[in-house]
Amino acid sequence: MAASAIRAGALVTLQELNPSSPFFKQGASLRVTGKLQEYNVETDSAVISNGNASLRIDTERLNISIRPGSIYQFIGELHIGPSDEAILKARVGRNVDGMDLNLYHQSLQLLRNFVDEQTNSRTQ
């Protein structure tokens, strides 16, 4: 019996998760970071935000202590509802309080630029 491969979570910002984004795909494996705005223990769901973007997180499979107002990073699969409402079914979650989100976004952009340069240099 072959085990299904667990894909690495692509690093994305919450602002990039919109219906026109290449990351906005059913079942896409993503890593997102944001400030926890709300958490419902009864439904095992949370909402994280960063700037003007937010995302609902299904935390049912996690065993972590969750505190509203803290910064969290989640890795999981994106599930998209009929009205383009996205929910990340998290398989990993961690508190990243102390992370400078502006610096994180800058480093993410630098990483993407580097990968693009490496990809372009190999195709020439």
Side-chain angles (χ1 to χ4, degrees):
M1 181 173 178
S4 62
I6 296 175
R7 295 173 309 211
L11 292 163
V12 296
T13 64
L14 296 181
Q15 291 80 0
E16 293 170 325
L17 286 179
N18 58 64
S20 63
S21 167
F23 299 109
F24 197 81
K25 294 180 183 170
Q26 186 77 317
S29 187
L30 306 175
R31 182 188 317 186
V32 296
T33 305
K35 185 174 184 177
L36 189 73
Q37 296 300 318
E38 59 185 74
Y39 179 63
N40 186 321
V41 176
E42 294 174 4
T43 62
D44 284 323
S45 69
V47 174
I48 61 170
S49 69
N50 188 353
N52 61 354
S54 64
L55 178 65
R56 183 161 300 282
I57 309 290
D58 179 343
T59 62
E60 182 178 4
R61 296 186 274 178
L62 302 181
N63 186 17
I64 62 172
S65 174
I66 296 185
R67 293 186 315 263
S70 288
I71 300 173
Y72 286 88
Q73 190 169 69
F74 295 99
I75 302 173
E77 284 62 50
L78 192 65
H79 293 265
I80 303 167
S83 61
D84 281 341
E85 181 182 325
I87 298 174
L88 186 78
K89 295 209 180 250
R91 57 184 148 88
V92 177
R94 66 182 181 150
N95 181 301
V96 291
D97 278 343
M99 176 185 281
D100 182 329
L101 289 177
N102 290 326
L103 189 57
Y104 174 75
H105 290 285
Q106 289 174 21
S107 65
L108 180 56
Q109 189 57 50
L110 288 170
L111 174 64
R112 288 180 179 168
N113 292 345
F114 174 77
V115 170
D116 287 346
E117 287 173 11
Q118 294 300 308
T119 303
N120 291 337
S121 69
R122 289 185 184 148
T123 59
Q124 295 178 356

